[in-house]
Amino acid sequence: MAQMTTPTAEELAASGLGLAVDGAVARITLSRPRRRNAMTGRTWTMLARIGQTLPEAVRIVVVGGAGPTFSSGIDLDMFRPGDIDGEPTPLSLLADHPDDTAPLERAIAEYQEGFLWLRRADIVSVAAVRGHAIGAGFQLALSCDIRVLSDTARLCMKEPALGLVPDLTGTKPLVELVGVNRAVELCLTARTIDAEEAARLRLAEQVVADSELEPAVDELVAQLLAVPADAARATKELLLQAGRNDLETQARAERAAQLARLVAMAGAAR
Ligand code: ACO
């Protein structure tokens, strides 16, 4: 992949995003409030670029939305032919290449990169969700390690109702969190769930009063920062592989990770 450069404030704004980095904490804001933070292909490729170019010191990434809505999902203009934000829409990619779906598949893979990096072991990602998180917005929240919901949060996997599938990496975390039966029910009814039900279904680690969303996220960030960075990374690596490892393999991975931690601690004490 070509070397990426840190996006400028203008480039971020043109993609519907804001970014503030303060030491170990990066805050990404979906910032097209007049369209309820609808996202385009450029939003997602810019998210990927943010992930690629974050300073090494960043350990926590908070993803939130400007205004009362986390995100209304894909910008509905993306379903029209032509360009949006200076980039071809999926329909215009198909129109330009009627016998070749490869360019569209490449575009979707690039969009997915904007979501995948939020699972990286060297960061903890936190979604701060106020109001609606619809479709791609719900999938963005699902890409984060921890979801803190305002009691105004409303989650909906709308894609099937629009004749589509959720393809922005949201199906795996959804099934892992709620189980396949509930995931089928949520996706194939495309119903909207409120914050209280989201918490019951394990889709929220925390639900707080709307006025408490920012303070609750700040407190969580402080708690996360209090854990040493190397131990946090090694532990997240272990947790990420626990679901696919058998017990013996996971126990071996724990031993290896602990040896590395203890060797590092012994080295530091010398
Ligand atoms: N794409 C483009 N524009 C949008 C979108 C969107 N996804 N969502 C809202 N807007 C625009 C509206 O057109 C409206 O524009 P206008 O002021 O020029 O008329 C403005 O944002 C405000 O929208 P309202 O509907 O008036 O806002 P409200 O707060 O009442 O409702 C809500 C918010 C629930 C998010 C509603 O706008 C909505 O349902 N939007 C569509 C959601 C959707 O279907 N998303 C696609 C999901 S599938 C996927 O993401 C892959």
Side-chain angles (χ1 to χ4, degrees), residues 30 109 138 153 192 204 208 221 228-230 233 247 264:
L30 305 169
F138 186 13
T192 299
V208 296
V221 167
D230 291 345
R233 179 188 184 132
L247 187 56

PDB file of all heavy atoms in Angstrom, residues 30 109 138 153 192 204 208 221 228-230 233 247 264:
ATOM      1  N   LEU A  30     -17.778  12.109  13.599  1.00  0.00           N
ATOM      2  CA  LEU A  30     -18.566  12.134  12.367  1.00  0.00           C
ATOM      3  C   LEU A  30     -19.245  13.496  12.348  1.00  0.00           C
ATOM      4  O   LEU A  30     -19.991  13.827  13.272  1.00  0.00           O
ATOM      5  CB  LEU A  30     -19.611  11.011  12.375  1.00  0.00           C
ATOM      6  CG  LEU A  30     -19.032   9.598  12.599  1.00  0.00           C
ATOM      7  CD1 LEU A  30     -20.150   8.598  12.865  1.00  0.00           C
ATOM      8  CD2 LEU A  30     -18.204   9.172  11.405  1.00  0.00           C
ATOM      9  N   ALA A 109     -13.787  -3.179  -0.471  1.00  0.00           N
ATOM     10  CA  ALA A 109     -12.666  -3.605   0.395  1.00  0.00           C
ATOM     11  C   ALA A 109     -11.987  -2.378   1.011  1.00  0.00           C
ATOM     12  O   ALA A 109     -11.608  -2.395   2.188  1.00  0.00           O
ATOM     13  CB  ALA A 109     -11.661  -4.430  -0.409  1.00  0.00           C
ATOM     14  N   PHE A 138     -24.385   1.861  12.692  1.00  0.00           N
ATOM     15  CA  PHE A 138     -24.419   0.752  13.650  1.00  0.00           C
ATOM     16  C   PHE A 138     -23.162  -0.105  13.469  1.00  0.00           C
ATOM     17  O   PHE A 138     -22.504  -0.501  14.433  1.00  0.00           O
ATOM     18  CB  PHE A 138     -25.703  -0.054  13.406  1.00  0.00           C
ATOM     19  CG  PHE A 138     -25.984  -1.151  14.401  1.00  0.00           C
ATOM     20  CD1 PHE A 138     -25.314  -1.257  15.606  1.00  0.00           C
ATOM     21  CD2 PHE A 138     -26.977  -2.088  14.125  1.00  0.00           C
ATOM     22  CE1 PHE A 138     -25.605  -2.286  16.516  1.00  0.00           C
ATOM     23  CE2 PHE A 138     -27.276  -3.104  15.020  1.00  0.00           C
ATOM     24  CZ  PHE A 138     -26.581  -3.212  16.207  1.00  0.00           C
ATOM     25  N   ALA A 153     -29.830   6.567  22.523  1.00  0.00           N
ATOM     26  CA  ALA A 153     -29.307   5.782  21.391  1.00  0.00           C
ATOM     27  C   ALA A 153     -30.393   4.890  20.785  1.00  0.00           C
ATOM     28  O   ALA A 153     -31.229   4.320  21.510  1.00  0.00           O
ATOM     29  CB  ALA A 153     -28.125   4.939  21.844  1.00  0.00           C
ATOM     30  N   THR A 192     -35.623  -1.114  14.981  1.00  0.00           N
ATOM     31  CA  THR A 192     -34.771  -0.213  15.757  1.00  0.00           C
ATOM     32  C   THR A 192     -34.864  -0.605  17.224  1.00  0.00           C
ATOM     33  O   THR A 192     -35.969  -0.784  17.753  1.00  0.00           O
ATOM     34  CB  THR A 192     -35.243   1.236  15.563  1.00  0.00           C
ATOM     35  OG1 THR A 192     -35.127   1.550  14.175  1.00  0.00           O
ATOM     36  CG2 THR A 192     -34.407   2.209  16.372  1.00  0.00           C
ATOM     37  N   ALA A 204     -24.141  -2.874  24.343  1.00  0.00           N
ATOM     38  CA  ALA A 204     -23.596  -1.682  24.996  1.00  0.00           C
ATOM     39  C   ALA A 204     -22.875  -2.132  26.261  1.00  0.00           C
ATOM     40  O   ALA A 204     -23.401  -2.955  27.018  1.00  0.00           O
ATOM     41  CB  ALA A 204     -24.712  -0.709  25.363  1.00  0.00           C
ATOM     42  N   VAL A 208     -25.774   5.526  29.663  1.00  0.00           N
ATOM     43  CA  VAL A 208     -25.788   6.643  30.618  1.00  0.00           C
ATOM     44  C   VAL A 208     -26.816   7.678  30.169  1.00  0.00           C
ATOM     45  O   VAL A 208     -27.230   7.696  29.003  1.00  0.00           O
ATOM     46  CB  VAL A 208     -24.390   7.314  30.715  1.00  0.00           C
ATOM     47  CG1 VAL A 208     -23.363   6.337  31.260  1.00  0.00           C
ATOM     48  CG2 VAL A 208     -23.945   7.865  29.372  1.00  0.00           C
ATOM     49  N   VAL A 221     -11.922   6.544  29.438  1.00  0.00           N
ATOM     50  CA  VAL A 221     -10.606   6.775  28.820  1.00  0.00           C
ATOM     51  C   VAL A 221      -9.531   6.860  29.905  1.00  0.00           C
ATOM     52  O   VAL A 221      -8.453   6.264  29.786  1.00  0.00           O
ATOM     53  CB  VAL A 221     -10.640   8.056  27.950  1.00  0.00           C
ATOM     54  CG1 VAL A 221      -9.235   8.495  27.556  1.00  0.00           C
ATOM     55  CG2 VAL A 221     -11.495   7.830  26.700  1.00  0.00           C
ATOM     56  N   PRO A 228      -0.912  -0.083  32.016  1.00  0.00           N
ATOM     57  CA  PRO A 228       0.292   0.084  31.187  1.00  0.00           C
ATOM     58  C   PRO A 228       0.053  -0.350  29.730  1.00  0.00           C
ATOM     59  O   PRO A 228      -0.589  -1.370  29.479  1.00  0.00           O
ATOM     60  CB  PRO A 228       1.323  -0.822  31.870  1.00  0.00           C
ATOM     61  CG  PRO A 228       0.847  -0.978  33.273  1.00  0.00           C
ATOM     62  CD  PRO A 228      -0.654  -0.889  33.228  1.00  0.00           C
ATOM     63  N   ALA A 229       0.600   0.437  28.806  1.00  0.00           N
ATOM     64  CA  ALA A 229       0.319   0.233  27.375  1.00  0.00           C
ATOM     65  C   ALA A 229       0.719  -1.159  26.900  1.00  0.00           C
ATOM     66  O   ALA A 229      -0.046  -1.819  26.176  1.00  0.00           O
ATOM     67  CB  ALA A 229       1.047   1.300  26.555  1.00  0.00           C
ATOM     68  N   ASP A 230       1.896  -1.640  27.285  1.00  0.00           N
ATOM     69  CA  ASP A 230       2.361  -2.944  26.777  1.00  0.00           C
ATOM     70  C   ASP A 230       1.463  -4.074  27.274  1.00  0.00           C
ATOM     71  O   ASP A 230       1.159  -5.016  26.544  1.00  0.00           O
ATOM     72  CB  ASP A 230       3.809  -3.207  27.217  1.00  0.00           C
ATOM     73  CG  ASP A 230       4.776  -2.263  26.520  1.00  0.00           C
ATOM     74  OD1 ASP A 230       4.361  -1.637  25.519  1.00  0.00           O
ATOM     75  OD2 ASP A 230       5.919  -2.153  26.984  1.00  0.00           O
ATOM     76  N   ARG A 233      -1.880  -3.981  25.385  1.00  0.00           N
ATOM     77  CA  ARG A 233      -1.771  -4.531  24.031  1.00  0.00           C
ATOM     78  C   ARG A 233      -1.690  -6.057  24.061  1.00  0.00           C
ATOM     79  O   ARG A 233      -2.390  -6.750  23.318  1.00  0.00           O
ATOM     80  CB  ARG A 233      -0.529  -3.944  23.354  1.00  0.00           C
ATOM     81  CG  ARG A 233      -0.322  -4.464  21.976  1.00  0.00           C
ATOM     82  CD  ARG A 233       1.016  -4.020  21.409  1.00  0.00           C
ATOM     83  NE  ARG A 233       1.110  -4.465  20.047  1.00  0.00           N
ATOM     84  CZ  ARG A 233       1.477  -3.708  19.033  1.00  0.00           C
ATOM     85  NH1 ARG A 233       1.806  -2.472  19.221  1.00  0.00           N
ATOM     86  NH2 ARG A 233       1.533  -4.202  17.824  1.00  0.00           N
ATOM     87  N   LEU A 247      -8.844 -24.504  24.252  1.00  0.00           N
ATOM     88  CA  LEU A 247      -8.347 -24.104  25.576  1.00  0.00           C
ATOM     89  C   LEU A 247      -6.839 -24.291  25.682  1.00  0.00           C
ATOM     90  O   LEU A 247      -6.121 -23.432  26.229  1.00  0.00           O
ATOM     91  CB  LEU A 247      -9.090 -24.904  26.653  1.00  0.00           C
ATOM     92  CG  LEU A 247      -8.819 -24.496  28.088  1.00  0.00           C
ATOM     93  CD1 LEU A 247      -9.111 -23.025  28.325  1.00  0.00           C
ATOM     94  CD2 LEU A 247      -9.655 -25.367  29.041  1.00  0.00           C
ATOM     95  N   ALA A 264      10.229  -8.623  30.176  1.00  0.00           N
ATOM     96  CA  ALA A 264      10.320  -7.164  30.034  1.00  0.00           C
ATOM     97  C   ALA A 264      10.402  -6.497  31.409  1.00  0.00           C
ATOM     98  O   ALA A 264      11.176  -5.553  31.617  1.00  0.00           O
ATOM     99  CB  ALA A 264       9.114  -6.644  29.256  1.00  0.00           C
TER     100      ALA A 264
END
